[in-house]
Amino acid sequence: MKPPHAPDWLVYLAVAAGLAVLAVGVPWRQRPAEPSRASSPAGQVLAPASLFDPAIWVSAPPAGPGAGTAFSVADSGVWLTARHVVDGCASTVIVTSPGHGVAAKVRLWPGRETAILYTRGGAPALPIAPAEWLRRGQRAFHHGFPGSRPGEATSELTRRARLVVGGRGLRTEPVLSFVETGRMPAMRGALAGLSGAPVLDASGRVLGVTIAEAPRRRRLYTTTPSSLRAILALASVKPVVGPGEAMTAASYGAVADDLRSRLSVAEVECLGS
C-alpha cells in the first residue's frame, strides 16, 4: 500500500513559499555596508540620453536658510553645487572651518540644476572625468556634508533618467540614477546636505553633481558628464584633467576626509532669502 501524498496544489504552495523567503532575504538596513555584488567593468554600456528615459518628478525646496555641499573646479575660487542649495539665497558662504567662511557669489543658468559659486581665493580643484562610456554597475562615490556633518556614500550606476523639477518654474534635465550601496558613518534616513556633492569615479574624477535623492528607494540622482562640461563651458572654466585620488569601497571614507581637509569638498550655507 502506497503512503498518502500531499495534493499537487499543496506542493506548489510550499515551493512558492520557499522561493518567497529567498527573494525577501535580509532587510537592506541590515545588510553589510558594501554588498557582495561588486561593480563589473564588463557591465552593459548606458545608451545615450533619450526622451524615453523615465521621468523622476521632484519639488524644488522653498528658498531659505539651509546647507549643502560644494566642490572646487578651479584653484582660483570657482565651485559647483546643486541649484536648489543656493537658489534664492540672500547670501551664500563657503564654510572654511567651524563658525568661519568666505562669501560666495552665485551664478545660475535657466534650465540648469547646477550652480556656479565664485570666491576670493580657492582650494585645489577636483579633476573632471573624460568623456567616455558609462557602464551599469560601475562604482561611484559621493563625498559631502549630509546633515551638516562630514559623511559620504558609495553607489552603483543603474540607468539614465530625466529629472523634472517643479516649484519655482518647471525644469527638466537628463540625470544618472545610482543605487546607494553603503554610507559612512552609519547614518539612517535621508542624506540631506549631500546635495551639491561631487559624484566621483574610482579614479577620483568628477562625473557630475549630486542633485536629488529618493531615500525609500535608496536612489541618488546626479547630473551627467555632458551637463557638467556644458556648465563649465558656460562659466569659461577649463576643466582640470588627469587622475584624482583613487579609491575603493574600503578606502573612500579616508579619501573623503582628505578632500574635505583641504577644502576641495566644502560645506556651503544659504544665510537667508
Side-chain angles (χ1 to χ4, degrees):
M1 181 177 180
K2 295 182 179 180
H5 65 278
D8 291 343
W9 66 267
L10 188 58
V11 174
Y12 298 150
L13 182 62
V15 172
L19 291 175
V21 170
L22 291 175
V24 171
V26 181
W28 77 267
R29 293 188 303 273
Q30 299 175 6
R31 293 175 186 165
E34 300 304 331
S36 57
R37 54 182 183 85
S39 301
S40 171
Q44 182 181 1
V45 174
L46 287 186
S50 164
L51 291 176
F52 296 102
D53 292 333
I56 310 297
W57 290 79
V58 299
S59 295
T69 302
F71 61 96
S72 174
V73 290
D75 297 2
S76 58
V78 185
W79 316 71
L80 295 186
T81 189
R83 180 191 186 106
H84 69 264
V85 173
V86 296
D87 195 1
C89 292
S91 59
T92 302
V93 170
I94 296 290
V95 178
T96 55
S97 62
H100 297 83
V102 294
K105 180 181 177 181
V106 177
R107 188 175 182 186
L108 305 174
W109 280 268
R112 299 284 179 176
E113 294 309 307
T114 303
I116 293 275
L117 307 179
Y118 298 93
T119 59
R120 291 187 177 181
L126 296 181
I128 306 301
E132 59 185 17
W133 294 110
L134 298 170
R135 296 182 178 274
R136 296 181 188 272
Q138 76 177 68
R139 178 79 68 175
F141 306 90
H142 313 253
H143 302 330
F145 292 84
S148 294
R149 302 181 65 179
E152 50 276 336
T154 180
S155 65
E156 290 182 358
L157 180 60
T158 59
R159 65 188 309 170
R160 293 184 185 272
R162 291 180 297 113
L163 192 73
V164 183
V165 184
R168 299 183 295 276
L170 193 66
R171 305 187 302 271
T172 181
E173 182 167 331
V175 295
L176 301 178
S177 175
F178 294 83
V179 60
E180 181 192 328
T181 56
R183 55 174 69 180
M184 296 177 65
M187 303 170 286
R188 290 188 177 184
L191 294 169
L194 203 63
S195 291
V199 53
L200 305 173
D201 65 13
S203 297
R205 303 169 301 184
V206 182
L207 294 170
V209 182
T210 305
I211 56 176
E213 179 193 19
R216 292 184 179 180
R217 301 183 62 216
R218 297 186 297 130
R219 293 295 190 274
L220 293 167
Y221 302 104
T222 76
T223 61
T224 64
S226 58
S227 293
L228 175 65
R229 289 184 171 273
I231 200 73
L232 292 178
L234 286 172
S236 300
V237 173
K238 185 178 180 180
V240 174
V241 297
E245 287 195 59
M247 67 196 92
T248 65
S251 67
Y252 75 101
V255 173
D257 289 339
D258 185 48
L259 295 179
R260 284 188 292 257
S261 69
R262 65 180 194 236
L263 295 180
S264 293
V265 175
E267 186 175 15
V268 56
E269 291 189 356
C270 169
L271 301 180
S273 58

